[in-house]
């Protein structure tokens, strides 16, 4: 989630047009509607799917004249109330979540369901931030902490793993993204797993799942990075993957 917002603000969401511009030859059509070319403005604002997601909130924005969605979001992070900022990021993240489900798993999620899942992720993220005794869970601060993301060494990949769980939920989510030394998206994976666990257990499980995934992919030279410093400390010994 935080990584997503950071990437959005950096104009680095790997939609088809961005990947094409980096030499990846893939279809340019929007995976949600297949009618238009998938760029950030289309996917998050103009696409019928995006419109149906925004309509589920009280947020109405006039995007005419907006050239870069990243600039638009940065302006909103600055000028809108905390509640509205949270809702904006919810909508953006659920559209991205649904888009990736469609692209990677060929599953189409209705906008109502993705609203629900995204809300849970955001709630978990707020709980996790409070538990970590960070300053109040305000988006600007979270964004600035993510800007500290450092690329891996030359020739290495970095896998960031983020886990979320909400108290009382019967399942939890793990998100992983692999990027190269230029910060470009290589591969991503989201999992929702049944079970009741606390935040620390989920973070630890997330790191374990990440290592398993690297093994499956037979990737070498991958650094795993977790938000949870406790987990990293606990697992550091004996694992060549962790920093
Ligand atoms: Zn579309």
């Amino acid at each position: 989630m935080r990584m997503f917002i950071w990437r959005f603000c950096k104009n680095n969401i790997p939609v088809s047009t961005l990947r094409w511009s980096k030499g990846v030859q893939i279809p340019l059509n929007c995976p949600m509607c297949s009618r238009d070319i998938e760029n950030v403005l289309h996917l998050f604002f103009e696409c019928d799917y995006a419109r149906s997601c925004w309509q589920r909130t009280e947020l109405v924005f006039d995007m005419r004249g907006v050239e870069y969605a990243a600039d638009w979001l940065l302006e909103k992070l600055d000028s809108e109330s905390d509640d509205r900022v949270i809702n904006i990021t919810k909508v953006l993240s659920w559209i991205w979540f649904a888009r990736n489900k469609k692209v990677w798993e060929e599953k189409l999620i209705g906008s109502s369901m993705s609203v629900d899942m995204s809300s849970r992720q955001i709630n978990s993220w707020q709980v996790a931030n409070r538990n970590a005794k960070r300053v109040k869970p305000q988006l600007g601060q979270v964004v600035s902490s993510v800007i500290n993301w450092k690329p891996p060494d030359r020739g290495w990949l970095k896998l960031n793993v983020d886990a979320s769980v909400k108290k009382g939920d019967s399942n939890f989510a793990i998100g992983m993204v692999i990027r190269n030394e230029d910060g470009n998206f290589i591969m991503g994976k989201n999992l929702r797993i049944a079970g009741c666990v606390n935040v620390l257990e989920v973070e630890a499980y997330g790191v374990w799942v990440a290592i398993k995934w690297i093994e499956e992919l037979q990737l070498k030279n991958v650094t795993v990075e977790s938000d949870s410093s406790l987990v990293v400390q606990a697992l550091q010994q004996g694992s060549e993957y962790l920093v």
Side-chain angles (χ1 to χ4, degrees):
M1 162 68 98
R2 281 165 277 163
M3 197 182 303
F4 165 76
I5 297 301
W6 171 71
R7 290 180 71 93
F8 201 104
C9 292
K10 300 282 276 185
N11 204 15
N12 200 14
I13 296 291
V15 291
S16 307
T17 41
L18 181 76
R19 299 182 71 201
W20 184 272
S21 73
K22 292 184 175 180
V24 185
Q25 303 213 339
I26 47 167
L28 285 174
N29 279 10
C30 168
M32 307 311 279
C33 70
S34 309
R35 283 202 300 275
D36 284 292
I37 286 179
E38 187 199 40
N39 57 36
V40 171
L41 275 175
H42 172 81
L43 178 69
F44 291 97
F45 300 98
E46 293 160 2
C47 183
D48 286 346
Y49 186 85
R51 287 178 196 278
S52 73
C53 292
W54 287 106
Q55 276 165 8
R56 291 177 183 280
T57 71
E58 78 290 3
L59 301 165
V60 180
F61 298 109
D62 183 358
M63 299 302 288
R64 284 174 299 180
V66 174
E67 201 174 344
Y68 296 106
D71 292 346
W72 174 87
L73 181 59
L74 280 171
E75 195 268 320
K76 295 291 166 208
L77 292 177
D78 240 17
S79 62
E80 297 277 0
S81 68
D82 286 0
D83 283 353
R84 279 174 67 87
V85 163
I86 296 243
N87 281 334
I88 291 168
T89 57
K90 268 186 194 177
V91 178
L92 295 174
S93 62
W94 82 53
I95 293 170
W96 185 239
F97 175 82
R99 180 266 190 202
N100 285 332
K101 267 283 194 230
K102 182 79 196 320
V103 169
W104 303 111
E105 297 175 34
E106 294 189 353
K107 284 184 189 153
L108 187 60
I109 317 174
S111 52
S112 57
M113 191 193 284
S114 43
V115 169
D116 178 50
M117 290 188 72
S118 177
S119 299
R120 272 191 277 166
Q121 283 174 345
I122 288 186
N123 290 337
S124 310
W125 161 66
Q126 288 175 320
V127 169
N129 273 290
R130 276 198 289 275
N131 287 351
K133 294 208 170 99
R134 289 181 196 162
V135 270
K136 58 183 172 170
Q138 194 194 52
L139 200 80
Q141 291 163 335
V142 174
V143 167
S144 62
S145 76
V146 175
I147 286 172
N148 290 333
W149 184 84
K150 290 193 180 64
D153 292 340
R154 186 155 292 280
W156 281 66
L157 298 169
K158 182 178 273 191
L159 185 156
N160 281 85
V161 55
D162 203 0
S164 67
V165 62
K166 188 181 170 191
K167 209 174 176 184
D169 258 12
S170 58
N171 55 43
F172 56 95
I174 292 171
M176 297 177 284
V177 60
I178 299 176
R179 287 177 291 182
N180 65 12
E181 63 202 36
D182 299 318
N184 292 330
F185 173 88
I186 304 294
M187 217 176 285
K189 193 172 182 177
N190 277 308
L191 301 168
R192 185 156 280 278
I193 298 159
C196 285
V197 280
N198 66 37
V199 173
L200 188 61
E201 284 168 337
V202 172
E203 297 276 8
Y205 187 70
V207 172
W208 181 78
V209 168
I211 291 169
K212 285 281 160 206
W213 190 40
I214 292 168
E215 284 173 359
E216 260 171 52
L217 295 168
Q218 301 186 341
L219 292 174
K220 298 256 185 277
N221 299 346
V222 183
T223 298
V224 173
E225 194 171 76
S226 163
D227 276 358
S228 169
S229 54
L230 268 176
V231 171
V232 173
Q233 280 166 22
L235 295 177
Q236 206 158 26
Q237 271 192 324
S239 174
E240 65 193 278
Y241 296 111
L242 292 165
V243 291

